[in-house]
Amino acid sequence: GDFLEMSVKKIKLGIISENKLVELFGTKKQIETYKKNGRFVSSNKNTILRHARQYCDVDDFGDGKYKISKVKEIPMTKAYENIHSGIYQYICPLMLQRLVSAKKPLTFTIGHWAREINMVNDNYSVVKKNSDIVEAKVVTLNDTPKDLLMNFYSHSDSMIYNYISQSLKYLQGLGLIIWREVYMVTTKRIVKSTITHGEADITIVTETHQASEEEMDYYAKCIGEADRQCNITEDCINKRYYSKDSYRWSRILQSELEKKHINQVYKAYEMFSTNYGKCQKVLNMYPDVLVKSFNGAFIKLLDDNAAIRYNKDPEKHENMMHEGDLFLDCYDNLAKFVIEEDVESCKYIFDKG
């Protein structure tokens, strides 16, 4: 708290004594112990150095001398370590980068955001939407059965959601942003319809707005009706989105929504900066973000988790496969195809029909 703030202001570059190091970065108890013994006791030296390195770059020169070569603009406290570890070291700066360059609040969906920050590539949503025919159409995926596709997306979607929402929570916890989940509704209405020389000329207006309470209530009822018609009573998320019934379920939901001119309902996230200048300072803590290493880290995470699931029940996973194909190899191949940055887009294959 205040003690640390005062201490940080006293940090000067150059050589300092061990006594000064303890005075600057030790707790009250550590300072008392050091004075009493005239030296470090137990692991106090390492603890104090670790604490000091949250605030500055410091080297132990031996003989009770320490060199401070740089004072950090923002201390690397535990809360900041969170956004510099694992996948968060890529997602958090990329989010801040978008916010700082936009200089205005951002509204985004998880899927759009994952593409926007290069967490996945364009193939991710194309393959997901065309899961029924991917194996036959895309050469790179011609040994990828639909069951494996469903298995992959059920886990990768949930990981993307968890990592992005946790990143938002970390950034909010640091006081850099506030955010909220909102549901958006897209409606389509015919505003003009004329027939000229036997040909219909129709003008359709599409409008997107935040869902009202009534629209949310209707959306919930539509989901319930689609569940009822598909006999979905348990494991709802997987059965709605990642099963052999998912296509039928989404068609029923769509036709129920269209009864009230609703074309689409989707969850979005709104992110607001509390201070663009501070966001930029936090951004300065990072080296230039390499998308390639982000992609590689995310693929490794997916592959490692798939291997853990596979080892628990190899037979279940091999039963998804064509004879002679290995689940983990095909899983890794799919992950690379929909995540790596420089993979050719397969969209044109489906555009041709």
Side-chain angles (χ1 to χ4, degrees), residues 8 24 28 53 65 67 86 123 132 146 155 161 184 202 205 219 233-234 264 285 296-297 313-314 317-318 330 339:
V8 174
L24 279 171
K28 198 172 173 185
R53 284 175 182 142
K65 300 284 182 209
K67 184 181 181 187
N123 289 341
D132 283 341
K146 189 176 176 186
H155 290 98
Y161 170 80
M184 305 300 287
I202 296 169
V205 168
Y219 177 53
T233 54
E234 56 191 33
Q264 195 185 9
M285 294 168 82
D313 192 348
H317 292 85
E318 288 305 343
C330 287
I339 290 169

Side-chain angles (χ1 to χ4, degrees), residues 320-338:
M320 294 178 191
M321 306 307 297
H322 301 308
E323 198 174 338
D325 290 326
L326 300 172
F327 174 82
L328 291 176
D329 288 352
C330 287
Y331 197 94
D332 177 61
N333 181 52
L334 172 61
K336 286 176 175 157
F337 187 70
V338 299

Side-chain angles (χ1 to χ4, degrees), residues 111-241:
H112 173 76
W113 198 248
R115 287 194 304 284
E116 187 75 8
I117 62 174
N118 295 103
M119 194 170 184
V120 299
N121 64 37
D122 287 345
N123 289 341
Y124 190 90
S125 57
V126 177
V127 169
K128 184 178 170 181
K129 285 175 187 160
N130 295 280
S131 60
D132 283 341
I133 48 172
V134 155
E135 192 183 6
K137 284 207 166 196
V138 183
V139 177
T140 320
L141 301 179
N142 64 8
D143 283 325
T144 314
K146 189 176 176 186
D147 281 355
L148 185 142
L149 283 169
M150 295 289 107
N151 183 282
F152 174 84
Y153 278 103
S154 73
H155 290 98
S156 60
D157 278 359
S158 118
M159 273 172 81
I160 289 169
Y161 170 80
N162 290 338
Y163 276 109
I164 288 182
S165 52
Q166 185 58 58
S167 297
L168 288 167
K169 286 171 191 168
Y170 280 153
L171 294 173
Q172 179 159 295
L174 289 167
L176 298 169
I177 65 161
I178 59 169
W179 66 284
R180 63 177 178 173
E181 284 186 355
V182 292
Y183 276 86
M184 305 300 287
V185 168
T186 303
T187 56
K188 270 188 179 178
R189 287 182 184 275
I190 296 172
V191 288
K192 198 173 90 179
S193 175
T194 55
I195 294 177
T196 316
H197 307 303
E199 284 195 13
D201 181 18
I202 296 169
T203 307
I204 294 173
V205 168
T206 303
E207 190 226 5
T208 299
H209 59 268
Q210 203 171 310
S212 67
E213 195 177 323
E214 291 77 13
E215 285 169 328
M216 284 304 293
D217 186 45
Y218 182 66
Y219 177 53
K221 287 187 169 76
C222 293
I223 287 175
E225 178 57 24
D227 284 353
R228 188 189 67 75
Q229 290 190 39
C230 292
N231 199 24
I232 294 174
T233 54
E234 56 191 33
D235 193 17
C236 297
I237 298 299
N238 271 330
K239 289 197 173 146
R240 285 172 191 160
Y241 306 109

